[in-house]
């Protein structure tokens, strides 16, 4: 069900949704401060704690060798489904990608002190359709910790969602996934950092160039990033396997639709000729 104007109005600060969409189309990103109440942030942090305690670090320069990444969050705790279907995020996601959009990935990213910058990339780059083109994905970033100048706030290049297929210095290469690439800072004067207090939400177009920042502080920096795609693009994470059917059946209806128990018209996504929701025993 699409988000309503009444649901999202508290976060628009008197602005119209249309004007914010115009800004989104122009700059490729939006920031909404303090969307989540502190008690909700604490609940999310507590749900993540046992998974972060495993201290599994990234395997390459892209994941970050001093970064914890917790994948398949919808299989970890129902509290994360509320982020995936938050009405403010979904209002912009559905306006851009359509109601048949899917949740492509949803993970927590915890940067430890000493982590270096990520390679520049854009999140719908797996779709090999030449740029410039409309975004085929939307990424959202929920700040669980404050994201600051020093602790690795995500860096973006405003307006870069409109660029063609040009290569930029420090862009991701296959060698970044095998630890064979030399580290290239790729610093740019046109980049800014998504500095936000805890509980805030940033939304970016899937074609916007960005990267995780370097953590030069003495504390970790934790965010959660639900990422969405149009209904006809393959999801980054195989949600049907990541979220077993018995867990999927307990999720809110919109969350089930987003992980793939839905149809992209007229019938993309069917199972044995029927709607996939018929496979779930829902309550």
């Amino acid at each position: 069900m699409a988000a309503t104007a009444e649901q999202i109005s508290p976060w628009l600060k008197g602005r119209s949704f249309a004007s914010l969409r115009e800004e989104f189309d122009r700059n490729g990103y939006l920031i909404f401060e303090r969307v989540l109440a502190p008690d909700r942030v604490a609940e999310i942090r507590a749900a993540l704690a046992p998974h972060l305690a495993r201290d599994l670090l990234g395997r390459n320069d892209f994941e970050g060798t001093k970064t914890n990444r917790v994948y398949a969050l919808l299989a970890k705790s129902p509290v994360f489904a509320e982020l995936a279907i938050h009405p403010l995020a979904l209002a912009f996601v559905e306006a851009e990608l359509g109601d048949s959009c899917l949740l492509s990935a949803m993970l927590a990213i915890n940067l430890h002190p000493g982590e270096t910058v990520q390679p520049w990339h854009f999140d719908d780059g797996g779709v090999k359709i030449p740029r410039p083109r409309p975004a085929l994905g939307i990424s959202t970033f929920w700040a669980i910790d404050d994201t600051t100048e020093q602790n690795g706030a995500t860096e973006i290049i405003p307006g870069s969602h409109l660029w063609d297929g040009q290569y930029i210095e420090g862009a991701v290469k296959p060698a970044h996934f095998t630890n064979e690439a030399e580290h290239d800072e790729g610093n740019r004067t046109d980049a800014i950092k998504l500095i936000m207090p805890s509980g805030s939400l940033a939304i970016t177009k899937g074609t916007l160039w960005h990267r995780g920042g370097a953590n030069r502080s003495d504390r970790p920096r934790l965010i959660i990033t639900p990422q969405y795609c149009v209904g006809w693009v393959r999801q980054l994470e195989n949600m049907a396997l990541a979220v077993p059917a018995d867990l999927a059946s307990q999720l809110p209806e919109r969350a089930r639709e987003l992980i793939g128990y839905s149809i992209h018209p007229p019938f993309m996504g069917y199972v044995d000729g029927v709607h996939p929701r018929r496979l779930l025993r829902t309550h």
Side-chain angles (χ1 to χ4, degrees):
M1 181 182 298
T4 66
E6 185 177 355
Q7 284 178 301
I8 66 174
S9 62
W11 299 294
L12 303 189
K13 308 296 185 186
R15 294 187 59 182
S16 70
F17 182 67
S19 72
L20 284 162
R21 280 206 72 197
E22 289 174 3
E23 181 179 332
F24 193 36
D25 289 341
R26 182 170 63 253
N27 297 331
Y29 77 99
L30 293 168
I31 294 176
F32 298 92
E33 293 194 349
R34 296 183 175 89
V35 176
L36 300 176
D39 61 342
R40 183 49 52 88
V41 173
E43 186 180 3
I44 292 166
R45 197 186 298 278
L48 276 174
H51 306 287
L52 293 175
R54 300 173 65 197
D55 197 29
L56 298 178
L57 296 174
R59 296 157 287 189
N60 50 56
D61 284 343
F62 189 84
E63 285 189 320
T65 56
K66 294 182 179 178
T67 295
N68 310 125
R69 288 181 172 238
V70 182
Y71 295 100
L73 287 183
L74 291 188
K76 303 290 195 292
S77 168
V79 71
F80 300 118
E82 297 178 25
L83 292 185
I85 64 174
H86 193 282
L88 179 60
L90 279 188
F92 290 92
V93 170
E94 292 169 346
E96 186 86 17
L97 306 178
D99 291 347
S100 68
C101 60
L102 296 170
L103 187 68
S104 182
M106 186 170 181
L107 61 150
I109 303 177
N110 191 44
L111 268 66
H112 287 281
E115 183 59 276
T116 56
V117 294
Q118 245 189 335
W120 290 107
H121 62 284
F122 51 96
D123 282 339
D124 68 2
V127 183
K128 302 305 180 184
I129 298 176
R131 297 173 56 125
R133 58 168 171 77
L136 300 174
I138 295 286
S139 292
T140 61
F141 303 85
W142 291 96
I144 306 306
D145 293 325
D146 295 340
T147 64
T148 70
E149 183 78 25
Q150 292 298 315
N151 74 1
T154 300
E155 299 178 26
I156 65 167
I157 307 174
S160 61
H161 62 299
L162 302 173
W163 290 357
D164 60 18
Q166 68 199 80
Y167 174 84
I168 69 171
E169 205 68 34
V172 66
K173 305 172 185 175
H176 284 114
F177 298 98
T178 56
N179 293 319
E180 296 171 352
E182 292 185 11
H183 191 72
D184 182 357
E185 287 283 329
N187 293 326
R188 300 179 59 96
T189 58
D190 55 351
I192 66 170
K193 297 182 179 183
L194 295 177
I195 294 172
M196 304 182 285
S198 175
S200 299
L201 169 67
I203 306 175
T204 66
K205 301 228 181 193
T207 43
L208 187 78
W209 283 91
H210 68 282
R211 66 181 182 180
N215 190 346
R216 300 185 177 91
S217 75
D218 59 359
R219 295 184 179 184
R221 182 231 69 180
L222 177 62
I223 66 168
I224 292 177
T225 173
Q227 301 175 10
Y228 307 82
C229 63
V230 292
W232 51 269
V233 163
R234 185 175 184 181
Q235 295 149 285
L236 288 174
E237 184 158 24
N238 189 322
M239 293 289 176
L241 295 178
V243 186
D246 60 333
L247 292 180
S249 67
Q250 300 171 43
L251 294 174
E253 181 180 7
R254 189 67 183 111
R256 295 196 303 267
E257 293 171 347
L258 286 171
I259 64 174
Y261 290 91
S262 56
I263 291 292
H264 178 73
F267 44 67
M268 186 178 289
Y270 70 80
V271 178
D272 199 17
V274 301
H275 197 293
R277 67 170 171 246
R278 294 179 62 179
L279 303 181
L280 294 179
R281 294 181 178 179
T282 57
H283 303 283

